[in-house]
Amino acid sequence: MTVGVALDASSAPNQVDATVRLARVAAAAGLRSAWFGQTFGADSPQLAAIVGREVPGLQVGTSAIPVFGRHPLLVSSQAQTAQAATHGRYHLGLALGTKLLTETGFGLPFERPIARLREFLTALRQLTREGTADFHGELLTVSTPIPARVPGAEAGVPVLVAAMGPQALRVSGELADGILPYLAGPRALAEHIVPTLTAAAEAAGRPAPRIVALVPGVVTDDVDAVRARATERLAFYEQIPSYARVIELSGGRRAADVAVIGDEKAVEAEVRRYRDAGATEVVFSGTEIAGEADRRRTWALLGELARRP
């Protein structure tokens, strides 16, 4: 199992420079991958491409780009360019997004998200694997009167989806290479997410899917104070039905109940629980919440776990 970290330098004077510095520290600690979120700020495929060029050997990925407000041709162009820049170390993460951000930010109705995801993935697979597409769906049209291949990205781009609900999992199992569940604890993974995803992949004749579990967590001795901070920071997700559902399936009431917060022994035990629940990779997020010293302490432990068989 590989272990990685989500990097967020959005509060730095220069986000790109700070992200590269953080990525170098993460790689030196032994972490195998760095992931970048996508909101309305920095472009995550560009960040991934830059980091991948600057920090050789580190796997990089986006987690995750909403399909609303984007078109497969443009996302394919971004992803293939990042793949060529990193010589095969880029991983594309997609998401349904949320009704609030979609309708407020883009002015688009958040309608038929599963149908849009299916069409988006179908067209995107053609583009990233063949460099061409001729797709005419109900919601999307994707056609290439000129080639869409980026030289250097001929091997394609791994595509993962931030899927947790049954319908999204079935589409992801059929059409994607894996998933990027967030705030889904070991119980939700083992009892609900992994079985649904795996069954869909098997039915489609696809290889066993990757399960890249994104986990908010930090190694610290000040557990109560950090959990209180995490409760405030993660409260936004409790308002989103898909996250509220997976938190409940994980045995939690608040989003912070799923966060992994404790000393090295406690955090290591939780990482192993994720592995036992079916996660093929674990990516920690929010590791800066307790300050620089605890962030480095967290990365040191995760790097050690990444080096173990």
Side-chain angles (χ1 to χ4, degrees):
M1 181 175 68
T2 64
V3 182
V5 66
L7 300 181
D8 180 6
S10 56
S11 61
N14 186 303
Q15 184 173 353
V16 176
D17 291 345
T19 300
V20 171
R21 287 194 295 270
L22 283 173
R24 287 180 174 139
V25 174
L31 289 159
R32 304 293 176 82
S33 64
W35 295 78
F36 311 95
Q38 181 67 61
T39 54
F40 295 146
D43 183 75
S44 56
Q46 285 195 61
L47 273 181
I50 292 167
V51 167
R53 295 284 286 188
E54 294 286 335
V55 189
L58 191 66
Q59 302 286 318
V60 291
T62 57
S63 178
I65 300 173
V67 295
F68 281 91
R70 273 88 176 176
H71 190 276
L73 274 170
L74 299 180
V75 173
S76 170
S77 177
Q78 289 178 296
Q80 289 189 73
T81 302
Q83 192 66 296
T86 60
H87 294 272
R89 288 179 283 119
Y90 174 70
H91 308 258
L92 172 63
L94 299 175
L96 295 175
T98 67
K99 179 180 176 67
L100 173 65
L101 296 181
T102 298
E103 297 188 347
T104 303
F106 293 109
L108 297 172
F110 189 75
E111 297 174 350
R112 303 184 66 190
I114 301 300
R116 180 171 293 271
L117 176 64
R118 175 177 289 281
E119 293 192 6
F120 203 104
L121 287 171
T122 300
L124 185 67
R125 286 182 65 188
Q126 294 178 21
L127 291 167
T128 58
R129 294 181 181 186
E130 303 166 19
T132 61
D134 186 20
F135 178 82
H136 301 271
E138 293 183 69
L139 304 174
L140 294 170
T141 294
V142 184
S143 183
T144 50
I146 58 176
R149 166 64 67 207
V150 176
E154 287 83 2
V157 180
V159 179
L160 304 103
V161 180
M164 294 182 292
Q167 294 184 77
L169 287 169
R170 285 192 285 270
V171 172
S172 300
E174 179 184 343
L175 297 172
D177 298 299
I179 59 168
L180 294 157
Y182 180 56
L183 296 178
R187 193 171 95 183
L189 284 177
E191 297 179 4
H192 301 277
I193 292 175
V194 174
T196 301
L197 178 72
T198 302
E202 289 178 351
R206 303 289 312 284
R210 292 167 57 191
I211 294 98
V212 183
L214 276 85
V215 182
V218 63
V219 176
T220 183
D221 293 325
D222 197 0
V223 175
D224 291 340
V226 174
R227 191 167 295 280
R229 209 171 303 161
T231 298
E232 182 178 352
R233 176 181 287 196
L234 298 172
F236 166 78
Y237 294 98
E238 299 162 12
Q239 306 169 43
I240 302 171
S242 59
Y243 285 107
R245 175 182 177 274
V246 81
I247 290 165
E248 182 179 359
L249 292 175
S250 300
R253 185 178 62 87
R254 304 293 306 271
D257 294 338
V258 186
V260 176
I261 301 170
D263 61 15
E264 282 82 358
K265 184 177 180 180
V267 171
E268 178 180 351
E270 286 300 302
V271 170
R272 295 194 178 281
R273 284 187 67 215
Y274 275 91
R275 179 197 64 188
D276 294 341
T280 58
E281 301 154 65
V282 171
V283 175
F284 264 49
S285 67
T287 56
E288 75 288 343
I289 193 172
E292 179 67 12
D294 280 348
R295 180 186 64 74
R296 288 181 177 269
R297 184 178 169 188
T298 304
W299 289 12
L301 171 67
L302 297 177
E304 178 184 343
L305 295 178
R307 288 188 289 270
R308 294 182 188 175

